[in-house]
Each structure stands twice: as structure tokens, then as C-alpha cells.
Amino acid sequence: MKVLVSFFAVLVLALVAYAGVEAANLQYLFGVIIPYAAFVTFLAGVVFRILKWGSSPVPFRIPTTCGQQKTLPWIKSSKLENPSGLLGVIARMALEVLFFRSLFRNLRTQLSDGPRLAYGEAKWLWLAGLAFHWSFLIILLRHLRFFMEKVPLPITMIEALDSFLQLGAPLLYMTDVVLLLAVTYLFIRRVGIPQLRYISLINDYFPLFLILGIAVTGVLMRYFFKVDVVGAKMLAMSLISLKPALPEVQIGALFYTHLFLLSVLFAYFPFSKLTHMAGVFLSPTRNMANNSRAKRHVNPWNYPVHVHTYQEYEDDFREKMKGAGLPVEKE
Amino acid sequence: MRLYNGGLIITGIVVFLALATFPFYYNIGKANAKPDIKLEPAIKMSEERYGKKQCVEPKEWIRREHMVLLNHWRDAVVRDENRGYLSTDTGTRFNMSLQNECMQCHSSKKNFCDQCHNYMAVKPFCWDCHIAPTEKEEARS
């Protein structure tokens, strides 16, 4: 049910854009207004989310550690697993962001007859996740050729490496294949494992289908139903130089579908789980140094408590205390 | 709203905005040069040979699918020694050849092919095997 709702939501979005351009000639809406609105929403939304996270105090050091803490000099400490300073935190975060280190440790738990509990390695999620994210990044960087006048060398190099196999014409990009396979695997995994399907929500399926939709429309218009790429770049360049103008040539409705689904992704991004792009850097269990034995961390929401000391108490009641025969410190 | 570790948060936001809007400021002050295709000097060839200005297939189709066509031609010629191409548009016979057919009309690589390819940063591997035509450098003022 949740799968179908998400699937049809993406399908309807795609059809709206396709029909909007094909039948109603809404090129300006889908090519200029919506992309701008989506991009502004994306920027503002992500900044808002970061500020919101930044305003939440994290009073305690709660890094997850799995190594020896820094202690006496003759005990070897684990700098990556249990970072004690900024450098260790940065190195650990880099490994986490670039290579999903914590996911690499993913385990599968199995209860068999006996009863016997067994743990085993489970690296497929890590592999597919890594393949998906890296492909997506490379595809994103590759697309910069549509947004730059003189395409700089690094971008053309990425593109050349990606089409290294020289299959067909236009050349096949490896990342296109890898991304489609990885997203498909991630989807099959989600519906195939009963426990995982049970905890999956619409906002797990929707981004999957949305990304799949973007990838499929992209693949279709590169390899199968080609659009006018020069026109696409002219539109992109006009958007990026803030002088929006539709090109004279017809780019093709598939392009606008691709762009609209992408706009939906951008606008949806800050309000969904996709915003882990920013959130990963703000994970307290990863971005903190385990230095609570070396440094004192004061709870930021400790407010100044009004303390009434004994001396003040005695000042208030000295005469009465004397009268009752109680001893006082100051006469 | 109070920020904790405000310095780091603001730095992060600045880095994010700088990366996300990179293409916007990268292109500031750069001339927006669109592809400028010149069919001269030899486009008249077509008229002499076939009576009218025509490509092997309709212009719109060629614009989108020429790489597929050329790839197909390459395979047909190199692997099957088949050089005859029957236009699905006009039924005219063409010689499957980049340099002896296409470039007879579109004579200038620089003024024709490169115009869009450079704009799109596409590097077709035609010239890995073919010898690129030497072209006279235009006098630059």
C-alpha cells in the first residue's frame, strides 16, 4: 500500500510535468518558475534545519566509541574509534561520510534452534549504499557541464572516466548503470525483508521512487528518446545567470519531466530523511570528542540558582537564635 | 534562538551555501557564448549533387541522433564492409563515410562539429581514428 502510494505519487508528478509541457505548453512554469522555487526552498530549508539543530543543546559527551580511550601515555589509545581531539573527530567523520564506516560494521542477527543466537556480517547494504551515493555524487558533478561556460578540466575528467568503457553512442556512463542497480537493490531490500518492510513508511519509499524516476528519465533522454541537449544547456545557463529565457528550440517534454522530478526532490529534501546530508555532520554520537575526563563540560541549560547561604540565614535570624539559646557563628 | 557551537554551525552553513550556489558565481562575468554553426563554405555541395539542401535524414532527427547514426555507420563499414546507406527520409543512397559524405557539406570541423561539442563539453572519439582536417586559422583581430 505504502509502496503503491509512493509509486503512483511519483508517476503522477512525472505525468503532470509531461502533460503540462506537451499539452499545455507550460515550459516556463516547469523550466523556470518551479526550478527556481525548488532551489530557494532547498537552500532556505537546509539552512533552517541546520540552525534548528544548532539551537539544540547537547549537554553531555555522547560519542559512540569502540576503542581504548586516551589515557595514560603508556596505554595505546584508539585515535579513530575513540577520538580525543578535533583531528580525530574530523578523521572519523570523514571516514563516516565518505565510506560509511559505521554501516560497514552492520551485523545480521539470527536466532536458530537451540536456541542459538548468531551474528554474521551483512555488508550488502553498505555496498549498495556506497555505490548509490558515490554514483549520485559523480552524476551530480557530471551535470555541472550544463551549468558552466568553459567546462573546467576536473569535470571533463570525471565525465571521461565515467564513459571510459566507450560503449555505444552516446557513450554509456557507468554511474548510470550502477545507480539504477543500487537503487533497485535498496528498494527490493526494503520490500523483501519483512521486518524492514514493517518499519518502512511512505517517506522511505517516496524518495526511492523519486530518485529512480529522475534516473530513469535521465537515462531515457540520454540513450533512447533524445532531447535537444544544446537547448537544455541554454536553458540551464540562462537560469544560472539569473536571466531566465526559454531557448528557441523545443527541448522535449522528457527533459521537463526530469527537471520537474528533480525540483520536487530539491524542494522535498530539507523536510525529509534526505536531509541526513547535512544531519550526518551534526550527529552528536559522531561529531564529539570523547574528552569528558580531560575537560569539564557544563550543562548549557544550567541556570544560576539563587543560593541562600548559612551566613545569610544566620544574619536573618541571629537575634531569634540567640533568644532560643542556639549557638551562632558570628556574634 | 540560541546557537550552540555557533561558530562551527555558521561555518558549516557558509560552506554549504558556497558549494550549492557554486555554478551561480562561477559563471559571473563569463561571456555566454552560444554555439554558432556556420554551414559555409561547402554546404552548396548538397544542392549541386542532390538538387536541394538536404541531409541524409531530417535535420531535427540528425541533430538528436547523429551520434547513433555515425556509430552505426562505423560498425557497418569497419565490420561488414557495407558502405551503402539508404535514407529513410528521401530514399536517396548515401555513402557511409564521415569524411567523404558528411564533411563534404559540413566541411569545417571547427565551424560545425566543434561548435556544439565544445559548448556541451563533448569529446567524440571520431578523431581518434580519423585524421582531423587541418583548417586555416582565421585571422584574429
Side-chain angles (χ1 to χ4, degrees):
Chain A
M1 183 61 200
K2 285 178 271 186
V3 182
L4 287 179
V5 167
S6 311
F7 176 74
F8 282 108
V10 173
L11 195 67
V12 165
L13 286 172
L15 287 176
V16 161
Y18 195 89
V21 168
E22 198 80 327
N25 274 321
L26 294 170
Q27 275 89 340
Y28 200 80
L29 176 70
F30 288 108
V32 177
I33 297 173
I34 290 177
Y36 271 144
F39 191 65
V40 170
T41 313
F42 169 72
L43 292 184
V46 171
V47 169
F48 171 74
R49 287 299 289 256
I50 297 175
L51 288 176
K52 203 170 159 222
W53 284 319
S55 61
S56 316
V58 185
F60 311 114
R61 297 270 121 175
I62 52 168
T64 47
T65 60
C66 36
Q68 173 61 50
Q69 183 179 7
K70 190 187 175 196
T71 168
L72 299 166
W74 44 270
I75 297 177
K76 203 180 164 203
S77 71
S78 178
K79 289 192 177 66
L80 275 177
E81 312 289 6
N82 199 334
S84 59
L86 184 66
L87 211 63
V89 169
I90 290 174
R92 187 188 190 200
M93 182 63 89
L95 285 172
E96 181 66 32
V97 170
L98 299 175
F99 303 112
F100 308 168
R101 197 148 174 266
S102 61
L103 194 56
F104 189 71
R105 281 193 257 262
N106 190 28
L107 289 178
R108 196 178 49 189
T109 320
Q110 212 169 19
L111 187 65
S112 51
D113 289 340
R116 207 167 59 91
L117 195 60
Y119 298 95
E121 288 191 1
K123 302 236 187 290
W124 287 109
L125 175 62
W126 170 80
L127 189 69
L130 205 64
F132 163 69
H133 280 82
W134 274 101
S135 306
F136 210 147
L137 178 67
I138 292 170
I139 289 172
L140 189 79
L141 291 174
R142 237 176 40 205
H143 273 75
L144 285 177
R145 82 185 167 105
F146 290 98
F147 296 98
M148 290 175 168
E149 191 57 52
K150 292 263 184 313
V151 181
L153 188 67
I155 306 295
T156 52
M157 271 171 66
I158 288 171
E159 208 240 346
L161 280 176
D162 201 357
S163 57
F164 174 76
L165 295 178
Q166 291 203 344
L167 285 174
L171 296 179
L172 178 78
Y173 287 132
M174 284 180 267
T175 46
D176 284 353
V177 179
V178 173
L179 183 100
L180 283 177
L181 288 178
V183 176
T184 309
Y185 169 77
L186 291 174
F187 169 70
I188 289 173
R189 177 181 168 275
R190 201 170 265 289
V191 288
I193 302 175
Q195 299 95 314
L196 195 64
R197 189 172 62 224
Y198 181 72
I199 59 166
S200 293
L201 305 169
I202 286 183
N203 39 20
D204 292 312
Y205 293 115
F206 181 69
L208 265 180
F209 282 122
L210 196 58
I211 288 167
L212 202 60
I214 293 169
V216 166
T217 47
V219 162
L220 283 181
M221 71 178 166
R222 176 175 171 86
Y223 305 103
F224 301 103
F225 308 103
K226 297 189 184 60
V227 297
D228 195 307
V229 271
V230 174
K233 178 159 184 176
M234 277 153 108
L235 177 64
M237 291 306 294
S238 80
L239 290 178
I240 221 83
S241 53
L242 301 179
K243 289 172 205 136
L246 292 175
E248 287 147 30
V249 289
Q250 290 293 323
I251 306 176
L254 202 53
F255 166 78
Y256 290 98
T257 312
H258 184 69
L259 188 61
F260 180 62
L261 289 181
L262 186 79
S263 302
V264 172
L265 184 77
F266 264 65
Y268 176 67
F269 202 95
F271 313 104
S272 65
K273 67 174 198 171
L274 300 172
T275 190
H276 68 267
M277 177 188 82
V280 65
F281 295 101
L282 285 117
S283 319
T285 54
R286 303 262 158 240
N287 69 7
M288 292 186 143
N290 184 19
N291 59 0
S292 45
R293 292 166 80 185
K295 268 190 192 160
R296 180 165 185 238
H297 301 282
V298 179
N299 187 346
W301 68 63
N302 279 353
Y303 52 89
V305 179
H306 177 68
V307 183
H308 199 64
T309 60
Y310 178 72
Q311 280 75 20
E312 288 164 338
Y313 174 83
E314 207 180 86
D315 288 345
D316 292 347
F317 298 106
R318 185 165 290 113
E319 294 313 310
K320 284 181 178 146
M321 287 169 81
K322 276 183 186 167
L326 292 170
V328 287
E329 285 186 352
K330 217 164 85 181
E331 287 300 327
Chain B
M1 190 164 68
R2 189 190 150 186
L3 282 183
Y4 299 91
N5 295 318
L8 284 171
I9 296 282
I10 299 296
T11 311
I13 289 177
V14 169
V15 169
F16 163 69
L17 289 178
L19 286 177
T21 57
F22 169 66
F24 283 93
Y25 55 81
Y26 177 85
N27 287 301
I28 289 177
K30 295 211 166 96
N32 201 353
K34 282 170 193 157
D36 179 22
I37 296 170
K38 290 192 195 81
L39 293 171
E40 301 297 329
I43 191 70
K44 291 197 185 74
M45 245 312 280
S46 169
E47 275 176 298
E48 286 161 22
R49 219 195 254 182
Y50 305 109
K52 59 173 179 170
K53 265 196 201 176
Q54 59 161 25
C55 203
V56 291
E57 296 289 343
K59 192 172 146 195
E60 292 304 312
W61 189 89
I62 282 292
R63 194 178 272 172
R64 282 164 198 196
E65 304 281 347
H66 62 277
M67 68 298 273
V68 179
L69 184 83
L70 288 172
N71 200 35
H72 168 70
W73 280 18
R74 192 262 320 258
D75 289 353
V77 170
V78 176
R79 294 180 191 164
D80 307 331
E81 269 189 273
N82 172 17
R83 280 194 176 270
Y85 180 75
L86 198 64
S87 168
T88 52
D89 182 33
T90 55
T92 320
R93 248 187 200 286
F94 287 98
N95 184 17
M96 282 193 203
S97 170
L98 176 68
Q99 278 171 307
N100 294 330
E101 193 68 67
C102 304
M103 298 204 62
Q104 288 304 308
C105 298
H106 309 295
S107 55
S108 170
K109 173 177 175 283
K110 201 173 76 191
N111 290 335
F112 188 74
C113 311
D114 289 351
Q115 285 300 319
C116 291
H117 290 159
N118 286 350
Y119 182 67
M120 296 307 301
V122 176
K123 286 198 188 69
F125 50 80
C126 309
W127 314 105
D128 288 5
C129 303
H130 288 271
I131 296 168
T134 48
E135 296 188 36
K136 284 172 218 153
E137 274 294 312
E138 278 174 33
R140 283 171 197 267
S141 53

